[in-house]
Amino acid sequence: DQQVKQNSPSLSVQEGRISILNCDYTNSMFDYFLWYKKYPAEGPTFLISISSIKDKNEDGRFTVFLNKSAKHLSLHIVPSQPGDSAVYFCAANPGGYQKVTFGTGTKLQVIP
Amino acid sequence: DAGVIQSPRHEVTEMGQEVTLRCKPISGHNSLFWYRQTMMRGLELLIYFNNNVPIDDSGMPEDRFSAKMPNASFSTLKIQPSEPRDSAVYFCASSLGFDRGGYQPQHFGDGTRLSIL
């Protein structure tokens, strides 16, 4: 039972354009959401997060949007850069509990 | 600051052998997590510790897997006996859990790539 789903295994975007990565979840107990970036042969690195009391959080070129009614979140990268090419994992955590459930990842390729 | 340190980075061994993976969390972090990443199942949580005590081991696949955290700066994940289907990348992560700033994200090591022949 995949509680956090990333339905697009891969995405290609031209340098300078917007990258939009999507994530859906099924567990209504999730109230904290995170995005991690992973390069080959390295561990995932925390990128940005959002609490369920917000619908948007921004950090430089990265913005995460949360739509609780649709149980959907997205990560926007503007403008995309070749160094953003990596696998992006969506993750979710129920309040007061440390166990994080990860999606299966989306491989982003930014083409110069 | 040093991040999460895992050893070895690569391990190749024959089926039936005992395998021990090691992890040193970030100093001051009170929570430690072991994950396994495979193509089929993605990143799965195996077990996590809080203040050196195992809290949730529901992800440990079977009795062949065991994990210990004898102190705040060291943890091991052991597989005995190992099987080819255990081949995967194993990650260790640590975090502060919750503090006054709310939930704190996990910091991952670079993983151990395990191959069981």
Side-chain angles (χ1 to χ4, degrees):
Chain A
D1 178 28
Q2 196 70 28
Q3 297 187 55
V4 177
K5 300 177 185 178
Q6 294 177 257
N7 292 320
S8 298
S10 63
L11 175 68
S12 288
V13 172
Q14 208 68 30
E15 181 179 3
R17 305 294 290 269
I18 184 171
S19 295
I20 300 176
L21 295 95
N22 293 303
C23 178
D24 298 294
Y25 63 96
T26 57
N27 188 342
S28 58
M29 297 298 291
F30 289 147
D31 69 351
Y32 198 85
F33 304 88
L34 310 96
W35 285 93
Y36 283 81
K37 181 168 78 171
K38 184 184 180 304
Y39 292 118
E42 294 184 9
T45 303
F46 170 69
L47 190 57
I48 192 170
S49 63
I50 188 167
S51 164
S52 61
I53 62 172
K54 296 184 176 181
D55 54 19
K56 177 182 174 181
N57 188 26
E58 195 170 351
D59 183 1
R61 297 185 298 113
F62 302 90
T63 302
V64 56
F65 295 92
L66 176 62
N67 182 334
K68 289 190 294 291
S69 60
K71 293 190 176 65
H72 176 84
L73 65 156
S74 61
L75 174 69
H76 292 211
I77 307 173
V78 183
S80 301
Q81 300 173 353
D84 297 329
S85 298
V87 177
Y88 289 79
F89 291 96
C90 170
N93 166 263
Y97 188 50
Q98 296 188 53
K99 183 173 181 176
V100 172
T101 300
F102 283 83
T104 51
T106 296
K107 184 174 183 178
L108 173 66
Q109 181 182 22
V110 180
I111 303 166
Chain B
D1 286 341
V4 175
I5 299 172
Q6 291 187 245
S7 64
R9 289 297 313 272
H10 303 274
E11 174 88 13
V12 180
T13 192
E14 291 188 348
M15 183 175 75
Q17 297 297 306
E18 178 179 291
V19 173
T20 300
L21 311 182
R22 297 172 176 79
C23 176
K24 178 178 168 55
I26 292 172
S27 176
H29 282 188
N30 58 6
S31 298
L32 183 139
F33 307 79
W34 281 102
Y35 289 89
R36 177 171 68 176
Q37 184 182 27
T38 61
M39 290 294 293
M40 291 298 293
R41 300 175 68 89
L43 203 58
E44 302 175 274
L45 178 67
L46 300 177
I47 185 171
Y48 88 86
F49 296 83
N50 193 46
N51 294 322
N52 311 340
V53 176
I55 302 300
D56 186 338
D57 65 354
S58 60
M60 296 286 262
E62 48 198 276
D63 291 345
R64 297 184 297 107
F65 286 69
S66 62
K68 294 182 179 179
M69 192 165 186
N71 57 62
S73 59
F74 184 66
S75 177
T76 59
L77 177 68
K78 189 173 291 188
I79 309 172
Q80 166 64 18
S82 57
E83 297 182 3
R85 60 193 168 117
D86 302 330
S87 298
V89 181
Y90 291 80
F91 289 102
C92 176
S94 70
S95 79
L96 284 167
F98 293 90
D99 67 9
R100 282 173 291 177
Y103 178 77
Q104 299 300 311
Q106 297 170 25
H107 298 258
F108 284 76
D110 285 338
T112 295
R113 182 172 293 276
L114 178 64
S115 297
I116 309 297
L117 306 178

